[in-house]
């Protein structure tokens, strides 16, 4: 599936109308134990004719003092005044995506829309907003630093979106805050039941992870209350636990004792009097598809008049549909590549022009068993760039219906032939 971009660069009158910037933004979070303020030097690329800017912005971040590896923890960041000085007075609705380095992982926190009254000559001072970050697995007994990697602000002006990108120097920034990761293992969990259904007298093996080495016990539950059926087993040095239990009475879940919710569901089959009539149905896997197959409409960008300066213009990628009907626990990645900007008739090209994307991924079918994750904003080249993904589910069902798209920005060089140019951006799924 491909999406086509058409750009026209005009010589003569008719400059780009309406451009602005909302300043750099804040990060995420709810109040927690430790708060720290850090000055971050940023270089900000604003859409023309708004001037670019650079300077310090003070980020005040609040994080919990401690957490376990694998925990999802709240984070709050209250940004200071932006280093950009707006050249326009206008009211916009701003949304910000903050890319953080949490240890060695890259995570994105998105602000809610904020109505902003931009005053010419007065730097913006965005509100604090909240979100979460995940403490990476395998960090037990260490301190995880949280650093700023990128700040992207979308300013919506009557349906047109103008994007400002601020990059810290150095990138990533110095530590904005840190979390001490407990040396203890992650919370014990029950991972699987074999089998996960049966009549009274069914022998079940429950498996788990993150248990202390040694003996374990397991129990059956009905509506959260123990039924009295119990079993025993053991956990090895890696924390993998196995426990055997025989189900003698009605139950709807089984757990290895000490594990955290959710427990694993068990379907109890009750004998019914009468003539039995088995009904069989085979459920076949469906496709993993990215559509529409015939491609998307061209993404429209406004014309630009050559003025001897580098210019940026913004647009929106039309959302592509992802349908994962495979009925398994597999994941997928959507990547983007592009061709150079060319006019095949005249032979003119814009070798220095760049296309960037601020990816988005949303669930379009509320019954979807999976969520999806948008990729990190960046430049699209001939090397595949991940723009969205669905994680594999392990023992859990994955799949669903999604929309993948995002805001786009074209960065143009100061001089080029006045002509019409086209680049083809192709989304692929695997």
């Amino acid at each position: 599936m491909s999406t086509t971009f058409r750009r026209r660069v005009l010589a003569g009158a008719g400059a780009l109308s309406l451009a602005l910037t909302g300043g750099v933004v804040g990060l995420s979070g709810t109040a927690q134990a430790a708060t720290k303020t850090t000055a971050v030097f940023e270089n900000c690329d604003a859409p023309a004719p708004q001037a670019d800017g650079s300077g310090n912005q003070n980020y005040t971040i609040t994080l919990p003092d401690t957490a376990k590896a694998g925990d999802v923890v709240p984070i709050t960041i209250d940004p200071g005044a932006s280093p950009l000085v707006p050249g326009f007075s206008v009211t916009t609705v701003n949304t910000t995506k903050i890319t953080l380095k949490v240890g060695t992982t890259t995570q994105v926190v998105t602000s809610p829309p904020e109505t902003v009254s931009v005053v010419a000559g007065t730097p913006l001072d965005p509100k604090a907003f909240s979100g979460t970050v995940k403490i990476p697995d395998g960090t037990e007994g260490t301190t995880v630093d949280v650093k700023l990697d990128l700040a992207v602000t979308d300013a919506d002006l009557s349906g047109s979106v103008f994007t400002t990108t601020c990059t810290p120097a150095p990138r990533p920034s110095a530590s904005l805050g840190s979390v001490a990761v407990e040396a203890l293992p992650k919370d014990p969990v029950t991972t699987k039941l074999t089998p996960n259904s049966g009549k009274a007298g069914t022998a079940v093996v429950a498996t788990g992870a993150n248990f202390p080495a040694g003996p374990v016990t397991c129990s059956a539950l009905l509506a959260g209350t123990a039924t009295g059926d119990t079993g025993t087993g053991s956990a090895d040095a890696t924390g993998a636990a196995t426990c055997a239990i025989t189900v003698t009475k009605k139950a709807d879940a089984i757990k290895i004792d000490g594990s955290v919710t959710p427990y694993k569901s068990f379907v109890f089959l009750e004998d019914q009097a009468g003539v039995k009539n088995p009904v069989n149905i085979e459920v076949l896997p469906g496709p993993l598809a990215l559509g529409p197959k015939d491609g998307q409409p061209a993404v429209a960008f406004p014309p630009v008049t050559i003025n001897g300066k580098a210019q940026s213009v913004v647009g929106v990628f039309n959302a592509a549909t992802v349908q994962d009907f495979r009925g398994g626990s597999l994941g997928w990645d959507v990547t983007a590549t592009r061709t150079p900007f060319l006019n095949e008739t005249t032979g003119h090209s814009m070798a220095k022009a760049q296309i960037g994307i601020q990816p988005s991924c949303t669930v379009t079918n509320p019954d979807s068993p999976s969520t999806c994750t948008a990729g990190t904003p960046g430049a699209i080249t001939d090397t595949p760039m991940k723009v969205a993904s669905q994680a594999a589910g392990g023992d859990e069902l994955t799949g669903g219906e999604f929309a993948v798209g995002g805001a786009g920005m074209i960065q143009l060089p100061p001089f080029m032939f006045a002509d019409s140019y086209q680049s083809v951006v192709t989304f692929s799924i695997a």
Side-chain angles (χ1 to χ4, degrees):
M1 191 220 93
S2 64
T3 300
T4 302
F5 292 84
R6 300 178 187 277
R7 287 286 299 111
R8 183 179 299 275
V9 181
L10 306 176
L16 174 68
S17 63
L18 280 186
L20 81 109
T21 176
V24 181
V25 207
L27 301 170
S28 66
T30 54
Q32 286 290 315
T35 300
K36 177 183 176 184
T37 300
T38 305
V40 178
F41 185 86
E42 296 170 317
N43 295 310
C44 296
D45 181 14
Q50 166 67 43
D52 295 340
S54 61
N56 286 329
Q57 183 161 359
N58 293 325
Y59 286 91
T60 301
I61 184 171
T62 304
L63 282 165
D65 287 320
T66 61
K68 291 183 178 180
D71 281 355
V72 175
V73 300
I75 178 175
T76 300
I77 293 196
D78 185 2
S82 167
L84 283 174
V85 179
F88 309 90
S89 294
V90 67
T91 298
T92 62
V93 178
N94 290 2
T95 304
T96 299
K97 288 185 177 180
I98 296 295
T99 303
L100 300 171
K101 285 290 187 181
V102 183
T104 58
T105 66
T106 300
Q107 302 182 36
V108 179
V109 180
T110 303
S111 76
E114 177 190 357
T115 300
V116 175
S117 295
V118 181
V119 178
T122 302
L124 291 182
D125 191 356
K127 295 179 181 178
F129 60 93
S130 300
T132 59
V133 293
K134 182 179 180 181
I135 305 301
D137 291 331
T139 57
E140 293 88 345
T142 67
T143 297
V144 171
D145 286 322
V146 176
K147 302 178 180 181
L148 177 66
D149 189 60
L150 197 67
V152 179
T153 302
D154 283 339
D156 188 321
L157 179 61
S158 301
S160 296
V161 178
F162 302 90
T163 300
T164 298
T165 301
C166 294
T167 305
R171 180 181 182 184
S173 70
S175 176
L176 301 180
S178 60
V179 178
V181 184
E182 296 179 19
L184 298 174
K186 293 179 289 184
D187 290 330
V189 292
T190 305
T191 57
K192 189 176 183 180
L193 303 180
T194 308
N196 62 358
S197 64
K199 302 176 182 179
T202 299
V204 177
V205 175
T207 58
N210 309 324
F211 286 85
V216 297
T217 59
C218 48
S219 54
L221 308 171
L222 180 62
T225 301
T227 67
D229 289 336
T230 61
T232 60
S234 62
D236 63 20
T238 68
T242 302
C243 189
I245 183 174
T246 299
V247 177
T248 66
K249 51 184 72 71
K250 187 174 182 180
D252 58 15
I254 294 175
K255 68 171 182 175
I256 299 179
D257 297 332
S259 61
V260 299
T261 56
Y263 307 131
K264 304 308 291 185
S265 296
F266 181 83
V267 179
F268 187 80
L269 305 176
E270 298 188 73
D271 277 326
Q272 297 177 351
V275 178
K276 293 179 172 53
N277 188 353
V279 177
N280 296 330
I281 181 171
E282 184 179 8
V283 178
L284 302 176
L288 173 65
L290 179 68
K293 292 182 178 179
D294 295 332
Q296 302 278 36
V299 178
F301 285 85
V304 168
T305 299
I306 298 170
N307 63 6
K309 298 179 181 179
Q311 300 184 64
S312 299
V313 289
V314 295
V316 177
F317 288 86
N318 299 296
T321 59
V322 174
Q323 294 179 320
D324 183 1
F325 300 149
R326 293 172 293 176
S329 58
L330 299 173
W332 49 257
D333 292 327
V334 172
T335 57
T337 57
R338 77 170 179 95
T339 60
F341 277 106
L342 298 172
N343 184 309
E344 295 182 358
T345 301
T346 63
H348 295 153
S349 66
M350 294 193 301
K352 295 182 179 180
Q354 297 185 12
I355 305 176
I357 184 173
Q358 205 176 318
S360 65
C361 188
T362 57
V363 178
T364 56
N365 184 339
D367 292 327
S368 299
S370 293
T371 59
C372 62
T373 302
T376 302
I380 303 174
T381 66
D382 56 359
T383 300
M385 170 194 178
K386 185 187 294 188
V387 294
S389 62
Q390 169 193 278
D395 291 328
E396 303 298 328
L397 177 67
T398 59
E401 296 183 271
F402 313 90
V404 177
M409 173 183 283
I410 299 177
Q411 295 177 319
L412 299 169
F415 294 98
M416 70 219 89
F417 280 103
D419 207 339
S420 296
Y421 298 87
Q422 183 182 89
S423 175
V424 178
V425 172
T426 300
F427 291 120
S428 304
I429 192 168

